[in-house]
Amino acid sequence: MLSQVCCSILCPKVSRAKLFSGIIAVFCTLAVATEIAAAAAKLGIDESSMNKTVTPGNDFWEFSNGTWLAKTEIPADKSRWGAGGILAEETNLRLIALIQELAKNRAPATPAARMVADYYNAFMDEAGIEGKGLLPLQPALQQIAAITDKEALARVLGGSIRADVDALNNTDFYTENVFGLWVVQGFGDPKHYTPYLLQGGLGLPDRAYYLTKDDRMEGIRTKYQAYITTILRLAGLTEPEARAARIFALERQIAESHATREDSEDVLKANNPWSRADFDQKAPGMDWSAFFKAAGLEGQTMFTIWQPGAVVGESGLVASVPLADWKDFLVFHTLNHFAGVLPKVFLDANFAFFGTVLAGTPQQQARPKRALESANAVIGDLVGQVYVAKYFPAASKAKVQTMVANLLKAFDQRITKLDWMAPSTKEQARAKLKTLYVGIGYPDHWKDFSGLVLDPADALGNLRRAEEFTYRQNLAKLGQAVDPSEWCMVAQTVNAVNMPLQNALDFPAAILQPPFFDPNASDAANYGGIGATIGHEISHSFDDQGCQFDAQGRLRDWWTPDDLAHFKASSAALAAQYSTYRPFPDLAINGVLNLSENIADLAGLGAALDAYHAATAGTAKPPGQIYTSDQLFFIAYAQSWCGKSREEAERRQILTDGHSPAHYRALTVRNLDDWYAAFAVSPAQKLYLAPAARVRVW
Ligand SMILES: [Zn+2]
């Protein structure tokens, strides 16, 4: 994603708490977005954001974005802010206004609108939520209280798992349930949906938060344990401190069994087919029959286990850790998971930890924004139908389709011209481009939510039912034929994604807007903006992960040994280049963790420039402009990353996210010869790389 997710450009990882400070902030945000849009309509870049006193070759980030960076404060309800975030904010505000209109209407025009309105109204009913207290959670809490043996524990653990992880598309490795289910085509069987199990069970974002020995992490751990205590006390449990200490100790043991984020990125380490019998033999402790029956997976004979060490470790903990500790663990995680639709004391405690301690965000976003965020997460395709009906012009789709075709042609030519690759390998690489599905705007078929019961007076029940509905939808796909046009993102997301198994790309409607794309802006800026994003997503088919899948999405080695050795050497050089970047004195970028995204940035930018040159037959300088076309292209690229993060959020990103911080993604330009020519970058300047040190992978 662009973000994070895959391939996502921006960051699909949803931070747990964002906020908004009301009407004034809303108008400020709209003003910023409008300003950017107005600038985009002329050149496609925003000159007022630049700092032209800086030499591009010394600090291209500052040259392109310096004035904006100096004058902009991150809004109090955000952990990061910039081009993508501003556009997302504007999109969200439009959607909220649209949904508020629907919500007032007793008979919205379509079933989708009715369901979105009901979900929104329930979420906004703060008085109703306060009045009910923990009543809506009683069935779940009573089920936990009724656990008297390890078989019953396995039943509750199995019944809790959801389809809430996504290892390769949205790269969402986090679930606080013990495991997460991901349903996609098989590594060896591209025609059928198969079950993958991923590790889970942590409240903190990653094992590194439990195991890294330094003062900062120690401080976070202390505050996390205090947060667990608070939640248990609010729920009326006796001895909350002692219980919290035991819950934390259990999570720490779970963390020790977890794979690192870096290992989770390696599909070869994830390709572990387990038969149903393998669970009993390899991972004793859990009553797997009870677990799978409760999970609705009793009929499955084969699974792919992404992190087998965690399955073995967590199953062992089911046997070795006292039942009472597991029950407390389940109570805490149930309360934590639903905190957003519980009374305010739970919500505020949750934000104070996940929003402020973990992401540095001072203020919670306004309730309408949280209602939308929740709806996007669980009934996203219903919201998407409402959104595109009003906000996605057909003309945008046609123009972006042309750009995609040009980018695919450019990428194909880059492969053809590679001097190090054997013809047989080239043929297989080019075949991947031919079978690629590209979705633009919104899916051909919306996900079907008929049968999901949404009650305008039951926020928690709606969330619970929607999550369970999605889980059942995923179970129903198992064994069925794969739909190659299925989307994994929603139309109202400012992001894009590559699905390596499916060999498919999605470009949601919401990213096809300024400053990324504007039908009235210069071609140079459009290719430097959305063009580089399109190139990024195409390139994921050929990054260190994507290149392991063939044209049908089968995990298969289609490389000659020499080709692979060359590819690995180039990749290693790029990983080394990024590992030299130190956003903080004590924390460098992990160039290995971020390799897929960095390869995609590099190859995507190169392909976008080629496509732009081919499409426009390269006029050096558009009439009346002070910038050459290539300068506009590169500035537009750097400005598409314009933004800033709070320190806590950036540290978290470096540790747990496959994407480098935006500043360093903009520095991809250092590897392109055309950037040196465009800005007359000389060896004495700080960003200069000797030609041999510039990495080219594709
Ligand atoms: Zn990506």
Side-chain angles (χ1 to χ4, degrees), residues 1-10 169 495-498 536-537 540 543 596-598 600-601 659 665:
M1 305 178 286
L2 271 191
S3 43
Q4 202 72 56
V5 180
C6 101
C7 195
S8 314
I9 293 192
L10 305 169
N169 300 333
N495 210 333
V497 66
N498 178 305
H536 173 105
E537 298 307 338
H540 272 306
D543 68 21
S596 294
E597 294 301 331
N598 293 335
D601 281 347
H659 300 77
R665 301 185 70 176

Side-chain angles (χ1 to χ4, degrees), residues 411-434 542 558-560 563 698:
F411 210 97
D412 185 73
Q413 284 171 356
R414 288 173 80 86
I415 293 170
T416 308
K417 285 184 197 157
L418 289 177
D419 55 10
W420 51 268
M421 187 175 270
S424 61
T425 314
K426 284 184 183 179
E427 273 320 298
Q428 303 206 53
R430 296 177 70 198
K432 286 196 74 169
L433 291 175
K434 290 198 183 76
F542 305 95
W558 46 273
W559 294 68
T560 68
D563 292 336
W698 286 97

Side-chain angles (χ1 to χ4, degrees), residues 130-142:
E130 289 297 325
K132 287 182 196 162
L134 292 181
L135 202 59
L137 271 190
Q138 284 313 314
L141 296 175
Q142 281 162 9

Side-chain angles (χ1 to χ4, degrees), residues 404-678:
V404 169
N406 290 343
L407 261 294
L408 285 169
K409 199 187 299 172
F411 210 97
D412 185 73
Q413 284 171 356
R414 288 173 80 86
I415 293 170
T416 308
K417 285 184 197 157
L418 289 177
D419 55 10
W420 51 268
M421 187 175 270
S424 61
T425 314
K426 284 184 183 179
E427 273 320 298
Q428 303 206 53
R430 296 177 70 198
K432 286 196 74 169
L433 291 175
K434 290 198 183 76
T435 56
L436 190 69
Y437 165 86
V438 182
I440 295 172
Y442 54 92
D444 301 338
H445 314 288
W446 298 103
K447 287 191 169 63
D448 181 5
F449 283 90
S450 51
L452 171 62
V453 176
L454 296 178
D455 177 343
D458 183 13
L460 191 143
N462 289 343
L463 175 57
R464 185 181 56 72
R465 283 188 295 274
E467 289 177 337
E468 193 171 335
F469 187 88
T470 298
Y471 183 65
R472 297 284 154 194
Q473 275 181 326
N474 276 276
L475 290 185
K477 291 196 292 188
L478 288 168
Q480 303 296 311
V482 167
D483 171 8
S485 68
E486 182 179 358
W487 277 49
C488 74
M489 249 179 206
V490 294
Q492 64 277 25
T493 306
V494 180
N495 210 333
V497 66
N498 178 305
M499 293 165 273
L501 279 157
Q502 209 171 305
N503 199 26
L505 315 179
D506 295 342
F507 296 99
I511 198 174
L512 306 177
Q513 304 182 78
F516 299 99
F517 170 73
D518 181 346
N520 301 313
S522 67
D523 284 336
N526 277 334
Y527 276 90
I530 198 71
T533 300
I534 295 167
H536 173 105
E537 298 307 338
I538 293 172
S539 303
H540 272 306
S541 296
F542 305 95
D543 68 21
D544 58 318
Q545 281 188 348
C547 77
Q548 299 177 84
F549 297 91
D550 68 14
Q552 279 69 47
R554 191 180 278 107
L555 181 63
R556 180 172 75 80
D557 183 4
W558 46 273
W559 294 68
T560 68
D562 281 356
D563 292 336
L564 194 59
H566 188 285
F567 177 80
K568 289 199 162 162
S570 304
S571 301
L574 190 64
Q577 184 183 103
Y578 270 80
S579 293
T580 63
Y581 294 136
R582 272 192 180 275
F584 303 101
D586 63 331
L587 188 61
I589 289 178
N590 180 344
V592 175
L593 170 62
N594 293 1
L595 184 58
S596 294
E597 294 301 331
N598 293 335
I599 291 174
D601 281 347
L602 175 58
L605 186 64
L609 187 62
D610 288 355
Y612 168 60
H613 287 160
T616 59
T619 46
K621 190 185 284 190
Q625 301 300 350
I626 58 171
Y627 303 101
T628 66
S629 303
D630 282 7
Q631 285 174 339
L632 280 179
F633 172 91
F634 286 115
I635 295 167
Y637 177 70
Q639 289 194 340
S640 75
W641 292 115
C642 180
K644 48 167 66 171
S645 293
R646 298 188 191 278
E647 178 172 345
E648 293 84 350
E650 184 149 325
R651 284 179 177 273
R652 176 176 176 172
Q653 179 179 358
I654 293 165
L655 288 172
T656 64
D657 192 316
H659 300 77
S660 303
H663 177 156
Y664 304 94
R665 301 185 70 176
L667 295 187
T668 303
V669 298
R670 299 177 74 197
N671 295 299
L672 270 69
D673 296 340
D674 296 85
W675 176 73
Y676 290 80

Side-chain angles (χ1 to χ4, degrees), residues 49-373:
S49 287
M50 299 168 68
N51 177 359
K52 296 183 195 174
T53 67
V54 170
T55 305
N58 281 333
D59 190 343
F60 193 59
W61 174 249
E62 177 70 19
F63 169 76
S64 303
N65 299 311
T67 301
W68 186 92
L69 293 167
K71 75 180 184 191
T72 304
E73 291 279 335
I74 300 173
D77 65 346
K78 296 282 186 288
S79 64
R80 61 180 75 195
W81 192 237
I86 291 169
L87 180 57
E89 187 76 6
E90 185 186 37
T91 301
N92 287 340
L93 293 176
R94 283 175 174 176
L95 256 172
I96 288 168
L98 191 56
I99 293 170
Q100 283 173 341
E101 273 308 303
L102 297 175
K104 279 189 239 160
N105 187 345
R106 282 166 185 271
T110 65
R114 170 79 270 154
M115 293 178 82
V116 171
D118 286 346
Y119 193 91
Y120 181 85
N121 282 336
F123 199 101
M124 292 302 295
D125 179 16
E126 290 179 85
I129 289 169
E130 289 297 325
K132 287 182 196 162
L134 292 181
L135 202 59
L137 271 190
Q138 284 313 314
L141 296 175
Q142 281 162 9
Q143 193 187 28
I144 296 167
I147 296 173
T148 52
D149 57 30
K150 294 289 171 83
E151 185 195 339
L153 173 62
R155 263 200 310 275
V156 173
L157 292 173
S160 73
I161 74 166
R162 292 291 172 265
D164 55 358
V165 290
D166 171 347
L168 285 175
N169 300 333
N170 284 305
T171 54
D172 191 351
F173 286 101
Y174 180 86
T175 175
E176 63 185 310
N177 299 322
V178 284
F179 304 113
L181 177 72
W182 187 41
V183 175
V184 283
Q185 64 190 81
F187 275 145
D189 178 8
K191 295 211 180 323
H192 297 96
Y193 287 107
T194 62
Y196 292 71
L197 277 188
L198 274 68
Q199 67 190 15
L202 304 181
L204 291 170
D206 184 80
R207 78 193 293 278
Y209 281 77
Y210 293 84
L211 304 175
T212 304
K213 292 189 174 72
D214 66 31
D215 290 348
R216 173 178 289 273
M217 288 300 200
E218 196 53 54
I220 288 174
R221 289 192 279 268
T222 302
K223 286 173 181 163
Y224 177 53
Q225 203 167 309
Y227 166 66
I228 301 174
T229 304
T230 301
I231 291 293
L232 298 181
R233 180 179 294 120
L234 289 172
L237 273 77
T238 58
E239 299 179 342
E241 287 92 354
R243 290 177 198 257
R246 290 193 294 266
I247 292 168
F248 183 81
L250 170 54
E251 288 190 21
R252 189 178 182 122
Q253 286 179 276
I254 292 173
E256 280 165 2
S257 79
H258 270 204
T260 63
R261 184 67 170 72
E262 197 175 316
D263 280 347
S264 293
E265 292 274 329
D266 185 340
V267 289
L268 296 180
K269 290 180 179 161
N271 186 16
N272 308 291
W274 281 26
S275 69
R276 172 60 192 83
D278 284 335
F279 286 85
D280 298 324
Q281 284 160 18
K282 295 180 180 176
M286 179 87 82
D287 182 331
W288 289 108
S289 293
F291 178 91
F292 283 123
K293 186 152 191 289
L297 288 163
E298 68 274 26
Q300 294 304 308
T301 53
M302 290 301 296
F303 295 81
T304 298
I305 308 302
W306 206 269
Q307 301 107 337
V311 173
V312 174
E314 295 187 55
S315 180
L317 289 169
V318 167
S320 67
V321 169
L323 202 58
D325 295 1
W326 274 109
K327 289 169 73 172
D328 287 342
F329 167 95
L330 285 166
V331 167
F332 165 69
H333 281 288
T334 301
L335 292 160
N336 184 54
H337 179 72
F338 288 103
V341 282
L342 286 177
K344 190 166 182 301
V345 284
F346 289 92
L347 180 64
D348 289 349
N350 181 274
F351 177 76
F353 182 73
F354 288 101
T356 305
V357 174
L358 277 189
T361 311
Q363 189 182 315
Q364 195 162 17
Q365 70 186 353
R367 196 160 190 102
K369 292 216 57 205
R370 283 183 275 125
L372 174 63
E373 189 172 286

